[in-house]
Amino acid sequence: MRHYIYVNSPVGMLTLGEENGYITHILFGKRQLEGYFLENDLLSMAKSQLNEYFDGVRKSFALPLMPEGTDFQKSVWRALTDIDYGTTATYGQIAEMIGSPKAARAVGMANNKNPISIVVP
């Protein structure tokens, strides 16, 4: 069963989605996702952690994540979660991290398709 909610944030409206106990979406803007518009415990926790992050008291997230994508995209998104708060990495560095040193452009495209923004930077 999928659920989603809208959350006001300093970067505008966010749409948070979950399915079967995993966060599947954190999207910029107000989007209608498949499923039911209903806040449950997991979405409430995600909203709370995002608020703490925007308030400057949280530097990492503790949420179960399950983004939908290809195996390559998922490997890129996992690597993104390993980047420490306040640091940056180039697409080339991320390509190295996932063992595909010549895939910098593909890393950029995977980053563009990231369905869990902010939490997966």
Side-chain angles (χ1 to χ4, degrees), residues 2 6 9 13 24 26 38-39 50-53 59-60 62-64 69 84-85 89-90 97 100 102 107 115:
R2 290 183 179 197
Y6 303 127
S9 80
M13 185 70 69
T24 57
I26 299 178
L38 176 71
E39 185 166 341
L50 283 165
N51 286 332
E52 291 169 357
Y53 174 80
K59 300 206 181 333
S60 63
L63 297 167
D84 290 331
Y85 177 86
T90 66
M97 289 169 62
S100 298
K102 297 184 187 269
V107 165

Side-chain angles (χ1 to χ4, degrees), residues 35-72:
Y36 298 95
F37 184 80
L38 176 71
E39 185 166 341
N40 59 21
D41 290 342
L42 179 56
L43 290 172
S44 181
M45 181 172 43
K47 179 172 69 172
S48 176
Q49 288 189 25
L50 283 165
N51 286 332
E52 291 169 357
Y53 174 80
F54 288 125
D55 288 342
V57 297
R58 177 173 288 278
K59 300 206 181 333
S60 63
F61 294 90
L63 297 167
L65 306 176
M66 189 178 291
E68 295 178 10
T70 67
D71 289 341
F72 179 81

Side-chain angles (χ1 to χ4, degrees), residues 70-89:
T70 67
D71 289 341
F72 179 81
Q73 289 170 331
K74 290 176 186 178
S75 71
V76 170
W77 301 332
R78 275 191 300 275
L80 293 174
T81 64
D82 291 335
I83 299 170
D84 290 331
Y85 177 86
T87 62
T88 60

Side-chain angles (χ1 to χ4, degrees), residues 3 12 19 22 47 63 77 80 85 93 104 113 115 119:
H3 299 98
E19 182 175 9
Y22 293 93
K47 179 172 69 172
L63 297 167
W77 301 332
L80 293 174
Y85 177 86
Q93 290 168 325
K113 299 290 185 193
V119 173

